[in-house]
Amino acid sequence: MKAKVLITLKDGVLDPQGKAIKRALAALGFDGVDQVRQGKYIELEIAESDAARARKTVDAMCAKLLANTVIENYSIELDG
Amino acid sequence: MKAKVLITLKDGVLDPQGKAIKRALAALGFDGVDQVRQGKYIELEIAESDAARARKTVDAMCAKLLANTVIENYSIELDG
């Protein structure tokens, strides 16, 4: 089963990478960009066919390794 | 309008970061992880209410700055 994990910074956490992208877009002539936030995207292929168990496993992976839950939120999407 | 951009490595492009995550998951006792690929996620707030124009603008941003189209694919999702 394929699991897609989106990791984003929590609101209020500074995002210098996003700020840099915003400045670079403005320098390239893209006006009207109000906010840019950069996050991470992780695709996992796991050997688990049961959706509930797969979600539980990926949730544990996020909490233990993939995300820093002090400053980051994560969402999990299962596919097939 | 909010635009969500997912940037992933093309198939066949080596992903050392994904490999490192896979090894780290195995070291933590998560078995049965077949493949891990890491990508980027970018959220943009743009001052454009027309969906077609917004998509065109974000597509140009991806081609010019956000993604390296030689080795990366990107997908755009518009929201609100």
Side-chain angles (χ1 to χ4, degrees):
Chain A
M1 184 171 280
K2 186 181 263 188
K4 298 173 178 182
V5 179
L6 275 185
I7 300 167
T8 50
L9 285 170
K10 288 185 179 172
D11 285 343
V13 177
L14 288 179
D15 180 3
Q17 215 170 352
K19 280 229 169 80
I21 294 172
K22 187 180 165 184
R23 264 202 307 273
L25 285 172
L28 283 173
F30 292 105
D31 301 323
V33 180
D34 292 329
Q35 208 197 12
V36 181
R37 304 279 285 173
Q38 167 142 16
K40 281 179 284 186
Y41 172 66
I42 299 172
E43 261 182 23
L44 301 143
E45 265 299 330
I46 54 174
E48 174 65 74
S49 53
D50 182 75
R53 275 208 301 270
R55 185 172 291 275
K56 209 174 150 190
T57 304
V58 176
D59 195 75
M61 289 176 182
C62 287
K64 280 193 188 160
L65 178 74
L66 303 180
N68 176 353
T69 54
V70 177
I71 56 166
E72 292 171 329
N73 290 321
Y74 60 87
S75 67
I76 298 165
E77 197 183 302
L78 296 173
D79 201 2
Chain B
M1 182 172 283
K2 187 182 263 188
K4 299 173 178 181
V5 179
L6 274 185
I7 299 167
T8 51
L9 285 170
K10 288 186 178 171
D11 285 343
V13 178
L14 289 179
D15 182 4
Q17 215 171 354
K19 281 229 168 80
I21 293 172
K22 188 181 165 183
R23 265 202 305 275
L25 286 171
L28 284 172
F30 291 105
D31 301 324
V33 180
D34 292 328
Q35 208 197 9
V36 182
R37 304 278 285 173
Q38 167 143 15
K40 282 178 283 185
Y41 172 67
I42 299 171
E43 262 182 23
L44 301 143
E45 267 296 330
I46 53 173
E48 173 65 74
S49 53
D50 181 74
R53 274 207 302 269
R55 185 172 292 274
K56 209 174 148 189
T57 304
V58 177
D59 196 76
M61 288 175 181
C62 287
K64 281 195 188 159
L65 178 75
L66 303 178
N68 175 354
T69 53
V70 177
I71 57 167
E72 292 172 330
N73 290 322
Y74 61 86
S75 67
I76 299 165
E77 199 184 300
L78 295 174
D79 202 2

